[in-house]
Structures are given as structure tokens and as C-alpha cells.
Amino acid sequence: LGNAYMMNAGHADAIFYHPALLVGASGFGLDVQRWGANSSSTTVSAARQWLGGGIGVGLQTLQYGAQAEGLLAAPAGQDHLFTLGASPVSERVATVAYARELGGLDIGIATKLVEERVGTTRDAALLVDFGVAADLGPVRAGLTYRNGGRDLSPGGLDMARPDGLTFGVGAYGEQVGILDVGFTGAVTYVGDQVVPSGGVEVGYWPIRGRTFVARIGAQRVHAGDASPVSLGFAFWGDNVTLEWAFQPVDVEGASGTHRFGVRWR
């Protein structure tokens, strides 16, 4: 969906996009993304209702090989993830978040321990996300400030801290004939860049509790050779969801990056 989160999904991975959406969220999710055979990312999240609100935990990791330990260790875009450099780089983010309804708004806060390793150097910092969400007629909207805190500089290398604002709006479940249709959109302001994104998903359920979902999304790409368009497919079966997403990236003979996910409610 162009990296725009479906605002009323009710999944635990809302912790990475809008922590206020943890109100009403539950379950466990696991995602793995691959850039060829050279780089990979793993994401794990879990959420449940607790103390009148929603609590969530998450872990994100990314491993790749950089061409050098200097400024080339973390270039913009995704192109460098398809090559295997001599300098190992790893990023880890552990997140704990809590959200509850206050005064008609859902309010959430997330604390994140971020660790960056480049070669033999390391740095870590605590960052904070804060957001609000509410139902606006038929759609759900959320505004989140992400990555508040200090920059990381492993070994003196200045690693960009992408703090900024994200506003998202969307909803799933509009019935159009035999189909269920959803849409989501977001605008993210990071540094001096504005990144609009959004997507549409269409579901068909021949049997109640068995839904097949097709997705298409788009986002502005500021760096690299990644396509602005992404595609996806999901199967919702009772309490289990299987998902696949693909973004074309024309680099190093690769067709693109694939992401696979499974969720339990």
C-alpha cells in the first residue's frame, strides 16, 4: 500500500506507524523482507488490550553489507541493499508502546531503543514516537511524530535520524457489489522532504471467514531506482493472515524486493 498503513487494520504492527492505533489492536505478527540474497529485514510485533488501553511490543532488524565504513555505509534509497559490501551493517530497534482513549481521542506513545553497528563501531539511543488518532466519519485518521531524540554516530559517522510527522487517513470495509474495498493515504514530512503515499485494497470472500485481498500502492521515491508502485496480496482465514508484497527495483539485475508476513489475531 505504498508504505501507508491501513488505519483500521487492528494489527499489532500499528506500533511502527501510529502508536495511537494500538487501542483495539491485538495479536502477533512476523514479517521478513529480502533484497536478493544479500540483505534482509525482520519485523516482529505483538499487542493486546491492557489497563483500559492497548499495549504493544516490537522488534525491527536490518542487515546488509556496506561498500565502506564512511559516509557510504548508509546511502539513501534501497539500491545498496542489493550489493554485498565488505563492511557489515546492522540496525536494531526494540519498541514498547501504550495507547488509550482520552477525551474522545486515542493517544499513544512509543519508546524505542535504537542500535546502529557499522563494521566494528556501535552507537545506541532512545527515541520516542507520539501520536493521536480518531474516527472522522467513515474513516480513521492519525497524526504521529516519530523518532524524537538524538542522532546516532557510531565511530563518529553521522547517521541520519529520520524524525518527522506522518498524517494518515483510511478505512477498510466499504462494500461494492461482491467486493470489500479499502483505501489508505499518508503524507510524511521528514527533514526537507515531503513523501505522499497511498494505496487501495480489494477483498473477495467466496466463503465467510476466507477472504482474498489484492493490493496496489504508490509513494514518492526521492533516491535510488525503486519503483514508486508496489503490489501485494493477502489471504485472511479466520484468525490467521498471510501476506506478500513486492516493490520493483531495477538494480544489479534484480527484479525487486519481496516482503512476506504472517499474523495471528
Side-chain angles (χ1 to χ4, degrees), residues 135-140:
D135 291 323
L136 301 178
V139 302
R140 188 154 178 79

Coordinates of all heavy atoms in Angstrom, one line a residue, residues 135-140:
D135 N -11.7 8.7 14.9 CA -12.6 8.4 13.8 C -13.2 9.7 13.3 O -13.8 10.5 14.1 CB -13.7 7.4 14.2 CG -13.2 6.0 14.5 OD1 -12.3 5.6 13.8 OD2 -13.7 5.4 15.4
L136 N -13.1 9.9 12.0 CA -13.7 11.1 11.3 C -14.7 10.6 10.3 O -14.4 10.4 9.2 CB -12.6 12.0 10.7 CG -11.5 12.5 11.6 CD1 -10.5 13.2 10.8 CD2 -12.1 13.3 12.7
G137 N -16.0 10.5 10.8 CA -17.0 10.0 9.9 C -16.7 8.5 9.5 O -16.4 7.7 10.4
P138 N -16.6 8.2 8.2 CA -16.4 6.8 7.8 C -14.9 6.4 7.8 O -14.6 5.2 7.5 CB -17.0 6.8 6.4 CG -16.7 8.2 5.9 CD -16.9 9.1 7.1
V139 N -14.0 7.3 8.1 CA -12.6 7.0 8.0 C -11.9 7.2 9.4 O -12.5 7.8 10.3 CB -11.8 7.9 7.0 CG1 -12.5 7.7 5.6 CG2 -11.9 9.3 7.4
R140 N -10.7 6.6 9.5 CA -9.9 6.8 10.7 C -8.7 7.6 10.3 O -8.0 7.3 9.3 CB -9.5 5.4 11.3 CG -8.9 5.5 12.6 CD -9.1 4.2 13.4 NE -8.4 4.2 14.7 CZ -8.9 4.8 15.8 NH1 -10.0 5.5 15.7 NH2 -8.2 4.7 16.9

